[in-house]
């Protein structure tokens, strides 16, 4: 895993108006799994591990990030 890319994804999403739960919900939806409860840190860690394993390529992760931010912008308008 590229931790710098992971940090950029999460930080950028928050700067674009996403709450941490928005990010987790995006990841769960992308993976096609149930959304996790807000208080389950272990599930959140497993979710992020699976998501970032799926997008282990910087280009793929950037494309996913761009889709996420576009979705956020659509939601906010």
């Amino acid at each position: 895993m590229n931790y710098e890319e992971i940090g950029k994804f999460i930080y950028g999403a928050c700067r674009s108006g996403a709450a941490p739960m928005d990010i987790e919900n995006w990841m769960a939806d992308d993976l096609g799994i149930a959304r996790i409860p807000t208080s389950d840190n272990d599930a959140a860690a497993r979710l992020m591990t699976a998501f970032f394993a799926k997008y282990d390529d910087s280009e793929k992760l950037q494309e996913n990030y761009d889709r996420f931010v576009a979705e956020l912008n659509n939601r906010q308008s």
Side-chain angles (χ1 to χ4, degrees):
M1 274 193 240
N2 183 331
Y3 293 104
E4 183 177 344
E5 295 296 325
I6 293 169
K8 286 180 183 179
F9 184 97
I10 294 171
Y11 178 77
C14 289
R15 296 267 310 172
S16 296
M21 186 52 64
D22 295 328
I23 298 167
E24 291 170 358
N25 288 343
W26 174 262
M27 292 176 177
D29 292 348
D30 182 79
L31 293 171
I33 60 174
R35 293 180 174 188
I36 61 171
T38 56
S39 60
D40 193 342
N41 292 332
D42 291 333
R46 288 189 304 273
L47 172 67
M48 289 187 184
T49 298
F51 180 82
F52 290 114
K54 178 179 177 181
Y55 293 102
D56 60 350
D57 176 81
S58 297
E59 193 172 303
K60 290 180 191 176
L61 184 61
Q62 183 64 48
E63 290 170 2
N64 185 280
Y65 171 79
D66 292 341
R67 287 192 308 273
F68 181 46
V69 170
E71 182 70 28
L72 285 173
N73 290 336
N74 288 335
R75 183 178 73 178
Q76 294 171 359
S77 12

